[in-house]
Amino acid sequence: MQLLLINPRFPESFWSFRWAIERVLPGKRAINPPLGLATLAALCPPGWDVTIVDENVESIPLSPQADIVGVCGMGVQFPRQRELLEYYRARGHFVVAGGSYASLCPERYEALADSVVCGESESIWPAFCRDYEAGTAQRLYRETETVALADSPTPRFDLLKLDQYTTITLQFSRGCPYLCEFCDIIVMFGRKPRFKSVEQVGRELDALRAAGVRNVFFVDDNLIGNKKAAKVLLAYLAEYQQRHRYRFTFGTEASINLAGDAELLRLFRAANFAWVFVGIESADTDSLKEARKGQNLQQDTLTAVREIYASGIDVLAGFIVGFDNDTLATFDAQHRLIVDSGIAAAMVGLLTALPRTPLHERLAREGRLIAAADDTNNTRLGTNVMPKRMSYDEMIDGYRALYQRLTSDRGIADRVRNKMRYLRNPVYHGEYTPRQRLGIVLRLIAHGVLAGGPARTFHFVRGMPWLSPSKLPLAIVDWIAGLAMRDYVRRHFGAPAPAGRTALALRAERLRRALRAYVERGVAWVSLDAAAGALPRITVSIGGALDRAFFARLARHVDRLLARTPSRLMLRVEALAAADAVRLQRLLQRLAPHGDRISIELHERVRRLVHVDSSIFHVVLARSAAASAATAG
C-alpha cells in the first residue's frame, strides 16, 4: 500500500521568519517539520510504503504513485488543503483529510475528501487503515475516547528532511488546565493534561540524536500544565544529556506562572531550555479577566518576565489586541509592555474567534462576528471580530502602527537593551558551528544592518551588549528576529496609500507598454486589479510562442514592481513553445525571492515542459483554476 502524506504550504506570517531563513541562516527552508504526519506514519501497518512531503520545504508531486493521499492542515492552511484534496481526488486517488482544522470543523471537508479523520489519531488512524485494506473505509472517523499517550509511537523522523528545518519538534503532553476564552486547545485536547512516559521521550531523543539534531522544540501548548509531571520530565532531560554527553538545546511553550517557581526555573536551566514562549496577551488586567486568563494575574507581568530572564532563559511571547475592554489607548500600553520587557519575538495578533471556542459562541450570540471574514489567521490586517470600544478601522490602523513602531530600528534596539539588563548567564550559546556562526553574523551585517543605512547601524551598535560576550549570541538572534518581522510588516502591512496606488498603476502601465507588441499579436495579456482593501494584483497571461526579449522585459518590470510595491502577481500560461520552456524557468528563478506573492497557473500540457516549485510559488492546481480566476478578478 502506497501512502503519500502532505503538509500544505503555510501562508507567510510572522512565524515564517522568511527573511531570516532566506538571507541569514545557513541552508534552511522552514522553522518546524510536520510532527503530526511523522507520528501518523508510525501508526501505519508495517507493510505500508509511506512518503511525507512538506510543501514548505519541497515541491508536491503532481502525478504521484500513491493509493492514498492524506492532507493535513491547520486553519490557516485550509485554502491550500482544499486545493490539494480536490486535485488529487480528481486524479483518481483516495484522499483523506486530517489535522487540527479537520478535527474542529469536519463538516467543511465532507465534499472534499473520501474520508475525514477527526481527532487524535492513535486509535482512529489504525482503524482507517484496517477498513481501507478491507475495502470498507468510512466517510468520517471521529475520536470519542480519551487517548492515552502511552499508545503514541516514536514518530518516523526518518521520513522528514530534518536538515531543512531550524528546529525539530517533540511532544510530551496534550491538554491544558486553563480556560482561556479564545483558545481552541481545550476544545481539542481537554483540560486534563495527558503525558508520555519519560522513556518514550528518551526513545524520540535517541532517534534525533542519531540524526545529529541539536535544536528541539517541545510543542506542548503548556509544558507545565501539570507542574509535577513537568519537573519529572525536566530532571530526566538533564540526566539524559549528561548520560549521553550530548547537548540538546530545548525550547517550549509555558504559562507565565513558570516565574515564581524557583525549582521549576532551576530544572528548566538544568535541562538546557534556552527559551520559552509565553501567552502574555495583554497589559490590561480587565482584558485578562475578560479572556479568563487568570493564571496571568498572579504576578506582575514585567516582574515575571524579568524573573525568567534572571534564570538565563529567553522569553518569546504572544499578545492580543481587540478584547472588549481594549481602546485606542491599548496600543500604547502594549507597546510599553513589549519594549520594557525586551521581548524581541513579540507575536501580536488581532483577537480572532476560532470555530468551536467559547469566544466564538459568545460573539455569535452577541451578533459581533463578521461572517465573511477569515477565522483562521490572527497575524494579518483583518479579523472576524467586531471590536466593542473602537471602530474596526481604528483597530486595524492601530495594529499596523504598533508593529511599525516595534519593528523600527530604534524599537528593535531598545528591546535588546532592555532584555540584556536583566538576562543573566544565558543558556543560549548558539547551535551552529563556529564557521556557520561567523557566516550568520556577516550575512546579518551585510543584508540587515548595513542595508538599513547609518541610522540602523547606529542603533545596532548601541543595542549590543559588547561588554558581556556571553549575551552576544542571543542579541544577534534578537536582531535577526526583529529584522525578519520588519521585512514581513513592510511587505504585508504597507497597504498602499492613494499615491502608492498611482505609482503602482504607472508601473503596471510600463509593463503593458513593454509587452504591447505581444499583446497585439494575441500571445500575451496584462491586467491590473487594484480593488480597495486588498493587495493589488497584476495578472500576466501567456498563450503562444514568444522570444527572449519578452522574458527579459517581463522579468525586469515584474521584479521592480514586486520589489518596490506591495502587490501580487498571477502568471497564467495556457500555451508555451518548447523553445520558451528554459526561458520561463529562468524567469521563475529570478522571481523566486518574491515567491510568496506569486501564483502560477499552468495548463496541463505546459506542466510537461516546466517544473514549478510549489514550496516557493503558489502553484494553482487544475481543479481550482476557476476559483483562482474569480479571485484575480
Side-chain angles (χ1 to χ4, degrees):
M1 199 68 64
Q2 292 182 306
L3 169 66
L4 171 63
L5 297 173
I6 299 177
N7 181 37
R9 189 174 177 218
F10 279 94
E12 191 189 2
S13 72
F14 292 116
W15 303 100
S16 306
F17 290 104
R18 181 180 162 218
W19 180 87
I21 289 173
E22 292 184 352
R23 306 301 297 271
V24 179
L25 300 181
K28 304 300 181 182
R29 293 292 307 277
I31 301 297
N32 301 132
L35 178 64
L37 291 187
T39 303
L40 201 71
L43 291 165
C44 291
W48 283 31
D49 181 10
V50 184
T51 301
I52 296 176
V53 172
D54 180 4
E55 199 180 18
N56 298 283
V57 302
E58 59 185 318
S59 193
I60 57 168
L62 297 179
S63 300
Q65 297 296 314
D67 302 296
I68 307 169
V69 177
V71 187
C72 73
M74 300 172 66
V76 294
Q77 294 169 285
F78 178 66
R80 185 59 172 171
Q81 187 184 21
R82 176 179 56 207
E83 210 174 339
L84 293 169
L85 290 167
E86 290 178 342
Y87 174 79
Y88 287 112
R89 195 179 194 188
R91 297 181 71 89
H93 299 281
F94 188 98
V95 298
V96 184
S100 62
Y101 202 56
S103 298
L104 278 175
C105 305
E107 70 280 357
R108 299 192 182 186
Y109 295 83
E110 289 178 355
L112 303 176
D114 296 299
S115 290
V116 180
V117 177
C118 174
E120 299 170 70
S121 296
E122 275 78 4
S123 61
I124 55 176
W125 180 252
F128 162 77
C129 294
R130 290 191 298 269
D131 290 349
Y132 183 83
E133 289 183 324
T136 59
Q138 302 173 33
R139 296 282 296 164
L140 176 65
Y141 290 83
R142 185 189 294 273
E143 180 58 73
T144 58
E145 304 294 329
T146 300
V147 171
L149 294 195
D151 298 329
S152 192
T154 298
R156 289 287 306 274
F157 294 115
D158 59 301
L159 299 179
L160 301 173
K161 294 177 171 59
L162 297 178
D163 62 331
Q164 298 291 297
Y165 303 94
T166 65
T167 310
I168 310 306
T169 45
L170 291 185
Q171 186 181 55
F172 170 61
S173 66
R174 294 177 196 159
C176 180
Y178 300 116
L179 285 169
C180 304
E181 186 188 34
F182 53 82
C183 186
D184 60 356
I185 297 304
I186 59 174
V187 178
M188 290 190 291
F189 297 137
R191 293 190 58 207
K192 185 176 181 181
R194 292 162 284 130
F195 320 98
K196 294 178 181 176
S197 68
V198 293
E199 290 77 18
Q200 285 175 280
V201 174
R203 288 192 290 271
E204 297 183 23
L205 291 175
D206 289 343
L208 295 182
R209 183 164 51 88
V213 170
R214 294 283 183 176
N215 215 24
V216 174
F217 170 34
F218 279 87
V219 297
D220 306 46
D221 294 288
N222 187 358
L223 189 70
I224 64 171
N226 183 309
K227 286 188 175 183
K228 182 178 179 181
K231 290 176 181 179
V232 171
L233 171 69
L234 295 168
Y236 174 83
L237 294 176
E239 186 273 333
Y240 179 97
Q241 304 213 67
Q242 186 175 12
R243 172 161 40 97
H244 292 286
R245 297 180 181 179
Y246 193 87
R247 189 179 180 86
F248 284 107
T249 298
F250 296 120
T252 193
E253 300 178 53
S255 46
I256 201 167
N257 56 342
L258 166 63
D261 191 321
E263 181 187 10
L264 199 53
L265 285 170
R266 179 183 60 77
L267 287 169
F268 262 87
R269 183 178 180 88
N272 212 45
F273 274 77
W275 58 270
V276 294
F277 180 91
V278 175
I280 291 177
E281 319 311 0
S282 179
D284 190 293
T285 56
D286 289 333
S287 291
L288 292 173
K289 292 175 182 177
E290 168 199 324
R292 304 178 191 171
K293 194 93 178 177
Q295 65 272 26
N296 285 32
L297 298 170
Q298 298 174 13
Q299 188 177 2
D300 174 70
T301 299
L302 201 56
T303 301
V305 170
R306 290 170 176 173
E307 185 174 340
I308 297 173
Y309 286 157
S311 296
I313 299 167
D314 192 17
V315 176
L316 293 66
F319 299 84
I320 296 175
V321 290
F323 291 116
D324 288 0
N325 190 65
D326 288 352
T327 66
L328 293 178
T330 298
F331 296 102
D332 284 336
Q334 292 281 46
H335 180 263
R336 284 194 301 273
L337 176 60
I338 294 169
V339 172
D340 290 348
S341 65
I343 296 172
M347 303 301 183
V348 187
L350 292 170
L351 181 68
T352 301
L354 302 174
R356 306 289 191 268
T357 59
L359 176 65
H360 193 280
E361 294 173 359
R362 176 172 68 82
L363 294 183
R365 290 193 304 269
E366 296 176 6
R368 292 174 51 214
L369 291 178
I370 303 172
D374 184 358
D375 61 2
T376 63
N377 186 353
N378 71 337
T379 62
R380 61 187 182 88
L381 280 176
T383 179
N384 66 336
V385 173
M386 185 60 67
K388 201 168 187 177
R389 302 182 66 190
M390 54 184 147
S391 73
Y392 183 87
D393 288 342
E394 287 174 333
M395 181 174 68
I396 299 301
D397 290 342
Y399 180 55
R400 180 192 288 114
L402 172 60
Y403 253 125
Q404 289 171 340
R405 293 171 70 189
L406 289 174
T407 57
S408 67
D409 298 332
R410 178 173 182 171
I412 296 171
D414 285 348
R415 282 182 285 160
V416 172
R417 286 169 60 89
N418 288 339
K419 175 186 295 184
M420 297 306 157
R421 289 192 182 100
Y422 297 92
L423 186 74
R424 299 177 193 166
N425 190 17
V427 172
Y428 182 80
H429 297 292
E431 64 268 31
Y432 297 101
T433 66
R435 184 175 180 178
Q436 288 174 325
R437 293 179 197 174
L438 177 60
I440 289 171
V441 172
L442 292 177
R443 287 189 292 273
L444 168 64
I445 292 172
H447 299 305
V449 179
L450 297 180
R456 185 175 300 167
T457 301
F458 167 76
H459 286 295
F460 177 79
V461 171
R462 80 173 179 86
M464 295 296 287
W466 302 111
L467 299 181
S468 301
S470 66
K471 299 180 182 180
L472 286 172
L474 189 54
I476 291 290
V477 168
D478 282 354
W479 266 99
I480 293 172
L483 291 177
M485 295 172 73
R486 178 192 177 95
D487 179 72
Y488 177 83
V489 168
R490 177 185 63 83
R491 288 183 292 106
H492 290 269
F493 281 21
R501 289 186 178 273
T502 300
L504 175 65
L506 289 174
R507 290 197 172 275
E509 183 56 34
R510 289 174 190 168
L511 176 61
R512 287 194 191 97
R513 288 201 300 267
L515 303 181
R516 180 177 297 163
Y518 305 93
V519 173
E520 291 175 351
R521 282 168 43 198
V523 293
W525 300 265
V526 179
S527 64
L528 168 63
D529 175 19
L535 284 179
R537 169 174 280 180
I538 299 286
T539 298
V540 176
S541 300
I542 297 172
L546 301 162
D547 55 28
R548 182 181 292 108
F550 172 86
F551 288 98
R553 294 174 188 177
L554 180 61
R556 182 171 61 254
H557 284 277
V558 169
D559 187 35
R560 290 175 181 173
L561 186 144
L562 293 174
R564 300 177 185 180
T565 67
S567 55
R568 298 170 294 162
L569 172 70
M570 165 64 80
L571 180 61
R572 290 200 181 96
V573 187
E574 294 293 332
L576 190 73
D580 290 328
V582 173
R583 294 166 184 158
L584 178 58
Q585 207 78 62
R586 289 173 182 165
L587 171 69
L588 297 180
Q589 290 175 1
R590 178 166 177 175
L591 298 181
H594 311 293
D596 64 297
R597 290 185 287 149
I598 299 176
S599 298
I600 299 175
E601 184 181 313
L602 303 181
H603 190 280
E604 189 74 28
R605 58 180 174 267
V606 178
R607 287 184 183 151
R608 303 188 189 102
L609 300 174
V610 177
H611 169 71
V612 181
D613 189 338
S614 70
S615 70
I616 297 175
F617 303 98
H618 172 218
V619 176
V620 180
L621 301 174
R623 288 284 294 172
S624 297
S628 175
T631 302

